Amino acid sequence: MMYSRMAGTGSYLPEKVVTNADLEKTVDTTDEWIRSRTGIERRHIAADDETSSSLAEHAARRALRSAGLTVDDVDFIVVGTTTPDRIFPNTGTLLQERLGIHGCPSFALETACSGFIYALSVADKYVRLGEAKCALVVGVECLSRITDWSDRGTCVLFGDGAGAVVLTPSVEAGIINTHLHSDGRYKDLLYYPYGVSDGFDKLKAGAPAGITMQGNDVFKVAVRTLSRLVDETLAKNGIDKHQIDWLVPHQANLRIIRSAAEKLDMPMEKVIVTVQDHGNTSAASIPLALDTAVRDGRIRRGQLLLMETFGGGFTWGSALVRF
Ligand code: UT7
């Protein structure tokens, strides 16, 4: 049996930082409200000349360097993003071009905050089947571009960034398995209102556009769903919750992260939390958190990681990983 393993990790955050104090000056909010309801203290915002593919390029190059590999080794690229540079070509192919790679399959998938876990799941299958030997998996967002900066209910939540991993074949796990889910009945609780075949005319006419969310309803479903997801992942793998070394959750809200940790009977010292520094970076949040903890030495080779995510759609999923 062949597995894929994470041979390297990388991430990138734009230079510009917007603090809660900065937002106090532009919308009717307070640092105290944002911290106590979300755990967020600051977020990074892409510069005008940065795009999802440019953020992804930095993260991808860093992940390749940490794996001891080069762009010439890459034979598969998948990018999870909700904020593509262009409607087409897809952001995976734009990243491929930036890296100077030509010919290998490259594509992007769009499952909101679950983008990285979905991308990881797809790439894992290709590597396991022997159809890819060096897969680049990226989660990236420029959410600032679709944020309504006058809406205090959402603008305090989101940030920009990118995270990447390199998957290579291994006889030992690696990615033990992934569990993906979605349910479109919740499509109106968290969404961006304009697309191509629906609402493009309004977008062209300059209608105010921003991420739209029934925050409190999303919160309740997220907590319930993530709890079920954790049970499912543990049961399907026949492992006890105490065997997990690190929880690497999607970083949307510290209160949601805490409830997942409680479910696992896990002290917060064993949970990777970056939401205070990054805000909610959607598809980028898990690989950003992972890379942060790998680089600061907390996550080490051989440890067992549980990654779990929840986002618009709704989509949700987990990955159990022997790092
Ligand atoms: O990443 C994908 C999944 N997304 C999530 O998981 C997000 C899930 N939702 C959440 O994280 C939380 O629901 C929020 C952080 C978005 C909101 O927290 P909440 O505790 O659910 O607050 P709320 O929406 O119930 O609003 C409470 C109050 C309201 O005022 P009233 O009606 O009680 O007078 C809001 O108008 O807080 C008000 N409010 C704010 N006040 C100050 C909303 N946003 C702000 C703000 N500053 N930025």
Side-chain angles (χ1 to χ4, degrees), residues 61-257:
R61 288 191 186 278
R62 288 175 183 177
L64 283 167
R65 247 194 323 274
S66 89
L69 297 165
T70 73
V71 290
D72 296 330
D73 296 303
V74 175
D75 59 3
F76 187 91
I77 298 174
V78 55
V79 174
T81 187
T82 317
T83 49
D85 292 27
R86 297 179 177 178
I87 289 161
F88 71 91
N90 76 80
T91 306
T93 303
L94 296 177
L95 170 63
Q96 183 194 41
E97 152 67 6
R98 281 181 178 274
L99 294 171
I101 306 168
H102 306 285
C104 76
S106 61
F107 60 100
L109 54 80
E110 186 217 320
T111 51
C113 302
S114 305
F116 175 74
I117 296 294
Y118 266 69
L120 185 74
S121 182
V122 173
D124 172 52
K125 308 295 181 292
Y126 273 81
V127 174
R128 272 181 196 233
L129 289 169
E131 293 190 26
K133 296 230 161 342
C134 178
L136 200 47
V137 185
V138 182
V140 60
E141 301 288 4
C142 284
L143 289 176
S144 60
R145 302 278 156 75
I146 55 166
T147 297
D148 176 353
W149 288 97
S150 66
D151 173 16
R152 71 174 184 171
T154 53
C155 76
V156 302
L157 304 174
F158 301 111
D160 300 336
V165 301
V166 175
L167 295 187
T168 56
S170 165
V171 285
E172 284 169 26
I175 313 291
I176 298 167
N177 55 29
T178 56
H179 301 93
L180 305 182
H181 296 281
S182 63
D183 190 339
R185 279 177 298 184
Y186 298 102
K187 66 185 187 323
D188 295 326
L189 290 187
L190 173 55
Y191 61 100
Y192 180 75
Y194 311 118
V196 180
S197 58
D198 183 10
F200 199 52
D201 49 340
K202 294 194 193 77
L203 201 57
K204 281 195 293 187
I211 297 168
T212 305
M213 176 163 70
Q214 307 296 326
N216 210 265
D217 294 332
V218 176
F219 187 98
K220 287 179 202 145
V221 185
V223 168
R224 236 180 16 240
T225 306
L226 288 170
S227 163
R228 270 204 322 271
L229 181 65
V230 166
D231 283 341
E232 175 196 357
T233 309
L234 296 175
K236 283 204 174 154
N237 289 286
I239 59 163
D240 180 80
K241 57 189 174 187
H242 298 110
Q243 288 175 255
I244 294 166
D245 292 305
W246 293 103
L247 177 64
V248 189
H250 170 48
Q251 312 281 321
N253 186 315
L254 187 55
R255 290 183 292 146
I256 297 177
I257 295 172

